[in-house]
Amino acid sequence: MGRASRARAAARHGRTTAAQPLLRRPLPEDQEALARLLGMVIPGDPGTEHFAMQLATIPIPAARAGHYATGGAWVAEEQGTTVGLIVAVPPLAWIDSVPVLEHDRRLLLSHRVVECEYMAVAPAARGRKLGVLMTEHARRQFTARGFRLMTGTVTEDNFGLLPYYRSMGWKTLRPGEAMGVLEPAHPIAVWRPAEPHVVQMWLPLHSEVAVTNWPTPTGIRPVINGVLSLPR
């Protein structure tokens, strides 16, 4: 059996190979590993254990018609060990805070924008592009579901990771810079603010998503176009 055939057989049977980690949904037996991985992203958070339990034991439900979209979570497994985690969900707190959007447009926005909330790789597994593999896996999954934009944030204690994210195709803003998304129905720009110690970043999931210049009271500013479509 060739190397590719062995890798496919290992994936079918839930095993991994050194060449190809297995990317899958979290399972109950991942709970301890998930807690460790989450602890790297949110150290000292008292809710880490509970969140790990939820990820491991409660499947993220599919979105229902007429409701806000839901997200997804995946782990990377190597040689039977869970060594990576990525969690992405629509940024509902921001979406609900945009007063200029009517409910049906906020609903659509939740099905077009997803935020990478957590990504972690165990120290022993770093240097093998697991972050790239997990990001691309999530990107494909959400693209297939009709999402058009993935967003994320980096705080100042992790600014050293920005070149790494840029190498994966992420577009990064300046610290504290607001992210603008064009609402073509009015048309207006919908802004997502950021604290001075936070860098916002975004990754296109659709070929129509691009930057366009938009006039504001303080001058021309770039906004992201192609995320929302005109109402029918």
Side-chain angles (χ1 to χ4, degrees):
M1 183 184 291
R3 181 180 299 175
S5 298
R6 287 197 300 271
R8 287 194 294 269
R12 284 197 300 270
H13 294 285
R15 299 193 304 273
T16 62
T17 68
Q20 183 62 50
L22 177 65
L23 298 174
R24 57 169 175 78
R25 301 282 187 179
L27 299 172
E29 53 264 36
D30 295 316
Q31 184 173 339
E32 185 176 336
L34 292 176
R36 288 196 300 269
L37 290 166
L38 287 169
M40 300 175 192
V41 185
I42 43 176
D45 191 312
T48 297
E49 294 286 345
H50 181 68
F51 186 33
M53 181 272 293
Q54 288 182 313
L55 287 175
T57 60
I58 305 175
I60 296 176
R64 293 180 294 164
H67 290 74
Y68 282 146
T70 56
W74 297 272
V75 299
E77 177 187 321
E78 286 187 332
Q79 302 298 313
T81 301
T82 300
V83 294
L85 169 68
I86 186 168
V87 180
V89 296
L92 298 184
W94 168 60
I95 292 171
D96 271 337
S97 72
V98 182
V100 295
L101 293 183
E102 297 179 357
H103 175 72
D104 63 326
R105 302 300 285 176
R106 292 199 301 269
L107 185 66
L108 177 61
L109 192 59
S110 80
H111 287 263
R112 294 291 180 85
V113 180
V114 65
E115 178 151 32
C116 181
E117 286 208 337
Y118 306 104
M119 185 167 66
V121 175
R126 291 173 185 169
R128 297 200 286 274
K129 297 185 180 291
L130 283 183
V132 175
L133 291 173
M134 290 191 296
T135 299
E136 284 303 310
H137 182 77
R139 189 176 187 172
R140 290 192 299 270
Q141 296 293 319
F142 286 112
T143 299
R145 290 170 54 184
F147 285 85
R148 291 190 167 210
L149 182 71
M150 183 177 286
T151 64
T153 57
V154 177
T155 55
E156 61 184 349
D157 52 332
N158 287 312
F159 280 177
L161 292 174
L162 290 173
Y164 171 71
Y165 286 113
R166 293 187 190 110
S167 72
M168 288 193 285
W170 289 89
K171 317 297 183 184
T172 59
L173 306 185
R174 297 185 302 272
E177 183 180 359
M179 180 182 295
V181 174
L182 186 65
E183 160 58 293
H186 294 299
I188 57 172
V190 178
W191 298 98
R192 186 177 185 184
E195 298 292 332
H197 63 283
V198 172
V199 163
Q200 298 196 84
M201 56 186 189
W202 59 278
L203 191 66
L205 304 182
H206 192 281
S207 60
E208 293 180 0
V209 174
V211 172
T212 188
N213 290 326
W214 190 254
T216 73
T218 59
I220 300 297
R221 295 179 62 181
V223 299
I224 305 169
N225 193 13
V227 177
L228 290 172
S229 52
L230 284 168
R232 295 180 180 178

